[in-house]
Amino acid sequence: LSEHVPELPEVETVAADLRRRVVGATIEDVWSSRQRLRGCRIDVMGLRRAAVGAAIESARRRGKYLLLELSSSRVLLFHLGMTGNLLLAPARLAQAPHTHLVLTLDRLAGRRAGVGDEALELRFVDPRRFGLCRVVARAAQLERVRELAQLGPEPLDAGFSVATLAAALRGLSRDIKSVLMDQRRIAGLGNIYASEVLWTAGIHPRTPAGRLGPVRLARLHGAIRHVLAEAVSNRGTTFRDFADPAGQPGEHLRALHVYQRAGQPCARCQTLIRSVFLGQRSTFFCPRCQRSSR
Ligand SMILES: [Zn+2]
């Protein structure tokens, strides 16, 4: 099975597309498969109360969560899990297998998206059902939502400085690779981008996080911002499951330097990329460019 799950750039791509294509649309109907997602069933009654007749006022991302703010003062909180996706489709197209939630939008949304004078649907499709969809209360209370309250700082925010990163890592003896993937420390990184960031910064994945000095911290900070921004501009990485709301794959796969490239030459030094298990995940690195773990 592919280990790839949507990370910050993939979720940001979905949020940006939804901002462009569904913000301003009114939700006319809600349908659910009534199957369980991540151990909980979608609350269809709550969802209908929150969404039917409401307009979508904004689409944004926090960590790997996607938030649709509605005019009903409610927010639809999504997590794409391992294989989840939000797809826009004309209502006449048959549902894909594993569709768990459908929001029917008004005809204006369809016209704006260029499908003519017909209803458009926003569909949550998730074959492995590790995703999540929850109705939560609006803005002022969002920071109290359990899933969001625990998240660390946003690495692409203007306020994310070397000092922010240093504070997130201070005193930690765990390896830097696992710490970068810990959503409570920094929001949004998973296995792909943590591997890519460490290669870019020239830091060995087993380095104890709290032991990075000022020079390597600054390099790591620059690498986090650079790698994520580049992946966002490429509309994310697609292996098998991720596609944007129009069903288009992301283009970042060819820009990856180490992830799933074990045995291939490093782009900087031609040494063969290695793969090891770290925190039960495959980790990819260049044994020459990322030499020392101290
Ligand atoms: Zn190398």
Side-chain angles (χ1 to χ4, degrees):
L1 285 171
S2 163
E3 265 195 279
H4 175 49
V5 302
E7 302 178 27
L8 184 155
E10 290 76 36
V11 182
E12 183 60 39
T13 298
V14 174
D17 279 8
L18 295 180
R19 271 198 289 281
R20 205 157 41 83
R21 301 177 70 185
V22 307
V23 167
T26 298
I27 298 169
E28 293 189 332
D29 201 5
V30 170
W31 174 90
S32 160
S33 67
R34 296 176 186 266
Q35 289 203 52
R36 297 178 79 83
L37 298 174
R38 197 190 270 191
C40 71
R41 219 171 285 280
I42 293 177
D43 169 15
V44 188
M45 288 307 290
L47 199 59
R48 292 194 72 87
R49 269 198 307 275
V52 174
I56 300 173
E57 294 193 330
S58 78
R60 60 193 182 89
R61 179 193 59 74
R62 172 76 175 103
K64 301 181 197 171
Y65 290 91
L66 191 102
L67 295 90
L68 293 182
E69 291 183 298
L70 307 182
S71 59
S72 59
S73 295
R74 293 287 185 273
V75 177
L76 303 186
L77 177 71
F78 290 94
H79 194 289
L80 303 180
M82 307 269 294
T83 55
N85 206 353
L86 280 164
L87 290 164
L88 272 169
R92 78 187 136 77
L93 286 191
Q95 277 181 16
H98 312 292
T99 298
H100 296 296
L101 177 70
V102 175
L103 305 176
T104 306
L105 307 177
D106 63 291
R107 274 153 208 281
L108 190 67
R111 244 173 282 159
R112 222 172 26 175
V115 297
D117 197 31
E118 64 177 320
L120 201 62
E121 292 181 347
L122 185 58
R123 299 170 176 178
F124 184 63
V125 180
D126 188 359
R128 293 187 65 193
R129 286 191 272 132
F130 281 100
L132 170 141
C133 170
R134 241 165 41 84
V135 179
V136 298
R138 183 70 182 245
Q141 294 149 27
L142 266 184
E143 64 270 21
R144 281 193 253 141
V145 173
R146 177 169 38 95
E147 288 88 344
L148 303 181
Q150 300 173 342
L151 294 176
E154 282 293 329
L156 289 180
D157 275 3
F160 183 80
S161 62
V162 179
T164 315
L165 176 63
L169 307 185
R170 191 162 296 140
L172 299 178
S173 55
R174 266 190 305 154
D175 64 88
I176 183 64
K177 167 76 178 351
S178 305
V179 170
L180 286 179
M181 290 171 60
D182 182 344
Q183 302 302 297
R184 294 166 300 182
R185 298 287 161 186
I186 300 169
L189 289 161
N191 205 18
I192 295 181
Y193 298 107
S195 295
E196 293 294 315
V197 159
L198 290 172
W199 179 83
T200 302
I203 294 171
H204 194 286
R206 285 194 205 278
T207 310
R211 214 173 274 166
L212 295 168
V215 173
R216 286 197 293 175
L217 273 173
R219 272 208 324 259
L220 181 60
H221 175 263
I224 290 171
R225 307 266 279 196
H226 172 78
V227 166
L228 291 176
E230 192 184 46
V232 167
S233 75
N234 283 333
R235 305 180 54 76
T237 304
T238 299
F239 288 89
R240 188 190 56 184
D241 296 309
F242 172 76
D244 69 20
Q248 296 296 312
E251 292 168 357
H252 196 63
L253 184 58
R254 59 186 156 71
L256 298 180
H257 291 107
V258 286
Y259 186 77
Q260 289 193 350
R261 291 179 53 89
Q264 298 180 47
C266 168
R268 257 188 323 234
C269 75
Q270 309 305 313
T271 303
L272 300 186
I273 300 298
R274 284 187 51 199
S275 154
V276 292
F277 270 97
L278 196 54
Q280 293 160 335
R281 307 295 301 272
S282 310
T283 290
F284 302 87
F285 69 103
C286 170
R288 180 148 181 222
C289 295
Q290 297 168 260
R291 202 172 338 213
S292 167
S293 65
R294 311 300 286 187

